[in-house]
Structure formats: structure tokens, C-alpha cells
Amino acid sequence: MKDYEPEYRRWCERAADDADLERELKAMDAAAMEDAFYRDLAFGTGGLRGVIGAGTNRMNVYTVAKASQGLANYVLKSFPAEARHIAVSYDSRIKSDLFSRVAAGVFAANGIHVSIYTELMPTPCLSYAVRALGCAAGVMVTASHNPSKYNGYKVYGADGCQITTEAADAILREIEAIDVFDGVRRIDFADGMARGLIDYIAPEVYTAFVEEVKAQSVLFGDEIDRRVSIVYSPLNGTGLKPVTRTLREAGFTNITVVPEQEQPDGRFPTCPYPNPEIREAMELGIRKAEEVKADLLLATDPDCDRCGIAVKAADGSYRLLSGNEVGLLLLDFICAQRTRHGKMPEQPVFVKTIVTMDLAERIAAHYGVETVNVLTGFKFIGEQIGRLERQGRADAYICGFEESYGYLTGSYVRDKDAVDAAFMICEMFAFYKTRGVSLLEKLNELYAQYGYCLNTLHSYTFEGSAGFAKMQSIMAAFRAGLTAIGPKKVLRTLDYGEGLDGLPKSDVLKFLLADNCSVVVRPSGTEPKMKAYISISAADRDEAEQIEAAVASALEAFFT
């Protein structure tokens, strides 16, 4: 008998709250049973994320309730009675609304006040509500940009950031001590509402969030043509209402929404990977942009914390810009506008992740802005905003971004915000267009001034228990020591596993290569993937692409 078989049988007997789970359990073969029960769904600084379905290694009402009980125990032990308040939001994914109600019912059963949005709302709206309502914690039910079979459960601290490593460890200890069936206190969502333990977040909170986004403008009275033609896709997620409301209130009324991707739909029928980083997710938007001859295409992921764009090239085709390229443009635009109008704060700070293009540091330095590098994950950028706030310098933060299409230009939330990104990109685009400059022309100006740099991301999927072991062996192989990666010598290896530069320990390796090139490798914290980030500095794009191809080919051997 396998170790997981008794637990499987127990689920067959007791998992009666969701008919979908009962049917799935009965239909499981040996392989499906092993994958669903060989471990508990991992809980970390990103909370939970996994395939929706039956089992301890799946997202379902029981694993969500167990995690919620662990969070409730943590809040009860860590916060005084008057501060025991949790905000909840959810996206368009399958069962997101159900999981959010289950979580709210667990918190309420433990005597914790719960405030939940009346409808699905983006991740940044959850971060905002935590701070606006003075909550001890927040929960966002989402799997961000993952395929439709996934869902997840992000946990936020009282500061509006995703939880720290220390908090995650403390919550995990609570979760591990709980029996998934017998250790959870729950009441029905409607009962919690009737007893006043659960209430809805007032619309004024959402309105205040929109006003904060609009306040990020750096035009400072400069005129722009707001009639630019914009095509927008929420990729069947949460962005439709907040993005279009913000843009329209800011005067951008020439907006066409991609009809097939307009309404929330957790099946994501037109884009299996609802991620604006991936061209396939942007194809319908590009077609609509071609149809209406739009100036700009915007797309946000399902929980509306990532934003991708495409702009019209000189030949009339639409070119997708990378997260790094958009980030460079925004950083330069914000710095230039603040400098020109005398609005740059004292000792200004820009924050980026270690895998984000190093060229951003040269731009920031040109404007006298300090760059702070942090680990991968926007929570670390949020933590830096909190650090500045504690120093009485919250206004010193002018922006932060990560290569994976995450941006934030203010301190009103502590996570990446695609509503803010969409607004700022539209203002930047209109500013340059009004002056006869395209974003592609502006990007080439930056490369001419600071040097050409190419950053690429390569992802490798490793599913199941065998995949998990394979990822561990790959990291061990990289740690064995490299003298070169393709044509580039390794000058230095940075192992963040033991903590470097004051950053928390993280399973990340960065290889500093000759000629200002680098490679970063790490397992994903939220998906069964390994990621390799390649950064190449060269004389021009053609040379950079040739070098990148050689480096990528050398890395390929490790992942096969």
C-alpha cells in the first residue's frame, strides 16, 4: 500500500461538500491518485497555487478551508481583537467565487471580521483594501496568469504586501497542525453575513483606489491628445471595469474592447495561457487593433496585475513590447517629467528585481535616482516601499517594475498594478504621439543613449513528483560550478540560497558573464517550471540575438 492511499480513501468517504470532487475521486486511476495525494499543496510567500481538483495537492474547498484556518490561527495569535479583520477578493477563475466564500466562512467562524468585494476585483484592489480598511491580512483568490485548470490563494499582510517569509512559515506551521476535515471551523457565508461577521467592501473604497491611480499622472499640466485610439483586452479577467473606468475618467474615450475577451470567463476560451507576456494571448487584440487601426493595444492578465502592450510600427504592423522595454520607457518618462517640472523628490528611489534589465540602472543614474535591486517577486518591491514609509520617505519612491510585465508608480498599493500601468502607458503614449514621437522611436533613442541590451526568458515545465525532483537536480547541477555559458565566460556566480546583499534566502543563481551579460536560473515559486533569464549587452540587436541564441543553446542541455 502506498503512503497516500489511506488519505485517498478518507477523502472518498468524507469529501462530500463538492459533487465535482466526489466524481473525480471515484474516477481516479493509480497515476492520478499519486499526483493528487503525494504531497500537500505547497504554501509559501505566494500562498497556494495548484490545479483545481480533488486531493491534498489540489485547489479545492478543503485545501482552501485548511489554509484559511491556518491563517485564522495566525491572526488570532498575532493581532489584538480590535485588529482582527481580513479583506477578501477574487478573480474570474473557475471556483474563485466559491473559494472566496469558503475562506470568508472560515474566518468568520473564528470570530474574525471579513470584508469582501461585492464582485470580482483585481489583485491591486485587494492590496488597497487591506490598508484602507486597516486589516490584519488579505486574501486574493487567483492563479494570476496560469492556464484555466489552476487556481490559487494569495495572502497579504497588514502592510498590503504579500506575506513575508517569516509570516508564511508561521502560517504554514499552523496549517500543518490542522486536519483537513476535523480541524477546520466553518460557517456558511450567508450565516456570516446575517450575523454581521462578514460584510461587503463599500464602493467608496474602490472609487478611492481609482482616484489614487489617476493621481499618479506626471503630466503636471502638459497637453496631450487624449483621442488616441486604444484597443483593450482584459483577457476574460477582472480588468474590464477598473481599467476602462480609469481611462475614461482620465479623458481617454476612444477605447475598443476585444469582444471575445471582454467578459469574465475562467475557461479563457480564446487564450489557453491568459498571459500578456505570450503572443498567442495577444493575437485577438492585434486583429482588433488592425481592424480599427488603433494606435495602441493594451491587455491585462486575469487578476489585472500585469499589463502588456503592442504599438504600431512604421510599416503599419503591430509590435509587442517586452516587460523590460515598457519598464524602461516608463522609468525614463517619469524621471524626465519629474525633472523637467521640478517634481523629483529628494533622494528618489527606483526599485527593480534582479532579473530585470540592468539597463534600467543606467537610466535611473542619469537622473540621479538610486536603484534598489530585490529578489524576483513584486512583494519585495512592495517591502521596499514600506521601508521608505517607515523612514518617513514614502514619496521618495518614484516607480518600480519587473520584467514579467509588473509595474507600480505610487505607494498607494504594495503589489504590481495593471490599472496603474494601463493609465500611465496611455498618458506616456499620448504625450509622445502629441509631439510626433512613437514609443518605438523613443525606445531606440534610449538604446542609442545608454547602449543596446536584450533580455529574454526561457521557461521549462516539470509536472508532478518526478518533475519536482528533476528541478532540484537541475539546480544542483548549476551549483556544481560553471566556467562558461556558451561563448561567454562566467566571471562570478551569485548564489542567493544563503542570502546575499541583505536579501532573504532564495533558490536563485545569477551568473555574471563577460561583457555585461548575465544569466539567472530559478525554480518558479508558483508553477511547476524552471526559468532562465538571459541578459545580453551588445553593439546592436542582431549581435545580441546571435549571442543570446548561443547562450540559450548552452543552457538547454541542463533542462533536457
Side-chain angles (χ1 to χ4, degrees):
M1 181 184 298
K2 302 289 178 65
D3 291 344
Y4 51 79
E5 287 184 9
E7 187 65 8
Y8 164 74
R9 289 202 301 270
R10 194 163 76 106
W11 276 64
C12 288
E13 294 169 0
R14 303 195 57 178
D17 287 351
D18 186 335
D20 292 341
L21 302 185
E22 291 186 275
R23 286 191 293 269
E24 184 181 347
L25 287 164
K26 290 177 182 176
M28 279 184 178
D29 60 18
M33 187 193 312
E34 178 182 4
D35 194 44
F37 287 94
Y38 82 94
R39 66 169 186 170
D40 287 349
L41 196 62
F43 182 94
T45 56
L48 300 173
R49 190 173 299 187
V51 174
I52 303 163
T56 58
N57 190 33
R58 296 286 185 265
M59 282 291 296
N60 52 65
V61 293
Y62 298 103
T63 53
V64 166
K66 181 178 178 180
S68 299
Q69 184 63 57
L71 176 56
N73 290 350
Y74 171 77
V75 168
L76 291 171
K77 291 178 179 179
S78 305
F79 293 86
E82 64 273 14
R84 294 170 187 165
H85 187 181
I86 295 178
V88 177
S89 186
Y90 59 96
D91 71 2
S92 62
R93 287 183 174 274
I94 296 166
K95 295 185 184 289
S96 278
D97 54 347
L98 171 62
F99 293 160
S100 68
R101 292 196 303 271
V102 167
V106 172
F107 302 142
N110 284 273
I112 297 171
H113 180 199
V114 183
S115 293
I116 187 170
Y117 278 106
T118 57
E119 60 182 324
L120 75 178
M121 281 286 174
T123 288
C125 288
L126 184 277
S127 176
Y128 185 80
V130 168
R131 299 176 73 240
L133 300 175
C135 295
V139 168
M140 178 71 196
V141 179
T142 179
S144 189
H145 56 285
N146 284 51
S148 61
K149 68 179 182 178
Y150 286 86
N151 211 329
Y153 181 104
K154 291 183 185 177
V155 180
Y156 287 75
D159 59 357
C161 287
Q162 288 190 53
I163 51 173
T164 63
T165 301
E166 293 76 17
D169 289 344
I171 296 168
L172 176 60
R173 287 193 294 272
E174 297 290 346
I175 293 171
E176 290 177 335
I178 296 165
D179 181 86
V180 70
F181 294 113
D182 298 323
V184 179
R185 300 180 66 189
R186 291 175 59 177
I187 61 172
D188 183 73
F189 182 85
D191 185 24
M193 290 285 292
R195 292 163 56 182
L197 292 165
I198 302 173
D199 61 18
Y200 287 120
I201 296 172
E204 290 79 9
V205 174
Y206 170 46
T207 296
F209 166 81
V210 172
E211 291 300 318
E212 288 279 10
V213 172
K214 292 188 295 181
Q216 300 310 308
S217 173
V218 291
L219 294 178
F220 305 122
D222 284 344
E223 292 296 322
I224 62 170
D225 181 3
R226 300 176 191 272
R227 296 170 298 176
V228 293
S229 174
I230 300 164
V231 167
Y232 169 59
S233 173
L235 297 180
N236 300 119
T238 60
L240 177 65
K241 291 185 178 181
V243 170
T244 57
R245 173 180 172 177
T246 301
L247 292 180
R248 288 183 173 124
E249 288 184 7
F252 296 96
T253 56
N254 190 5
I255 304 169
T256 302
V257 180
V258 178
E260 300 91 336
Q261 297 173 336
E262 181 172 7
Q263 296 303 321
D265 186 342
R267 299 169 301 158
F268 309 118
T270 63
C271 51
Y273 294 89
N275 183 353
E277 295 180 72
I278 298 173
R279 185 176 183 89
E280 288 78 6
M282 304 289 277
E283 287 292 351
L284 280 177
I286 290 173
R287 285 185 220 162
K288 179 56 69 174
E290 291 170 341
E291 177 189 327
V292 304
K293 297 179 172 56
D295 297 307
L296 175 67
L297 166 64
L298 299 168
T300 55
D301 70 340
D303 67 324
C304 197
D305 63 357
R306 299 175 188 232
C307 182
I309 74 169
V311 294
K312 192 184 293 185
D315 63 1
S317 65
Y318 287 85
R319 180 182 153 192
L320 296 170
L321 296 189
S322 72
N324 276 309
E325 290 172 330
V326 173
L328 295 179
L329 287 164
L330 280 173
L331 172 63
D332 180 75
F333 175 62
I334 290 167
C335 289
Q337 284 293 99
R338 285 185 173 275
T339 299
R340 190 160 67 88
H341 288 277
K343 300 289 187 179
M344 189 68 85
E346 290 186 17
Q347 298 179 302
V349 174
F350 155 66
V351 191
K352 75 174 190 69
T353 60
I354 59 173
V355 299
T356 297
M357 191 178 282
D358 293 334
L359 180 57
E361 292 194 45
R362 299 203 285 275
I363 295 174
H366 173 78
Y367 291 100
V369 175
E370 177 191 358
T371 298
V372 175
N373 282 285
V374 297
L375 293 175
T376 306
F378 216 91
K379 67 182 289 300
F380 296 110
I381 296 177
E383 286 178 359
Q384 290 299 314
I385 300 173
R387 179 181 64 82
L388 290 170
E389 185 176 59
R390 290 190 296 275
Q391 295 172 359
R393 299 177 55 217
D395 291 344
Y397 171 83
I398 60 167
C399 70
F401 77 91
E402 59 184 3
E403 49 71 42
S404 55
Y405 294 58
Y407 318 94
L408 179 65
T409 66
S411 61
Y412 60 100
V413 296
R414 302 298 160 84
D415 208 340
K416 53 187 176 285
D417 181 3
V419 184
D420 168 56
F423 168 69
M424 293 297 291
I425 289 166
C426 287
E427 282 209 340
M428 175 177 67
F429 179 89
F431 176 88
Y432 288 127
K433 185 174 188 293
T434 303
R435 288 151 183 80
V437 179
S438 74
L439 287 188
L440 292 178
E441 289 170 335
K442 186 62 187 178
L443 188 61
N444 286 331
E445 284 181 24
L446 295 179
Y447 287 141
Q449 182 174 357
Y450 299 103
Y452 189 80
C453 189
L454 174 67
N455 275 44
T456 60
L457 167 63
H458 299 260
S459 294
Y460 307 87
T461 300
F462 300 92
E463 298 275 5
S465 57
F468 181 74
K470 175 70 172 175
M471 287 192 285
Q472 291 180 309
S473 68
I474 291 171
M475 289 301 292
F478 275 115
R479 284 194 167 94
L482 300 177
T483 57
I485 301 179
K488 295 294 181 180
K489 288 184 178 180
V490 175
L491 303 181
R492 187 181 174 197
T493 301
L494 304 177
D495 188 344
Y496 291 87
E498 295 303 317
L500 281 178
D501 301 326
L503 299 176
K505 294 180 181 180
S506 184
D507 192 13
V508 179
L509 290 168
K510 184 168 186 175
F511 298 95
L512 303 181
L513 309 180
D515 305 315
N516 290 319
C517 300
S518 67
V519 169
V520 177
V521 292
R522 70 178 184 94
S524 170
T526 56
E527 304 170 271
K529 290 182 178 180
M530 287 202 69
K531 297 186 176 184
Y533 305 80
I534 302 173
S535 179
I536 303 296
S537 294
D540 54 37
R541 185 177 185 89
D542 287 343
E543 181 182 336
E545 288 180 343
Q546 291 177 15
I547 297 170
E548 193 278 341
V551 170
S553 178
L555 288 172
E556 194 78 29
F558 287 89
F559 297 103
T560 55

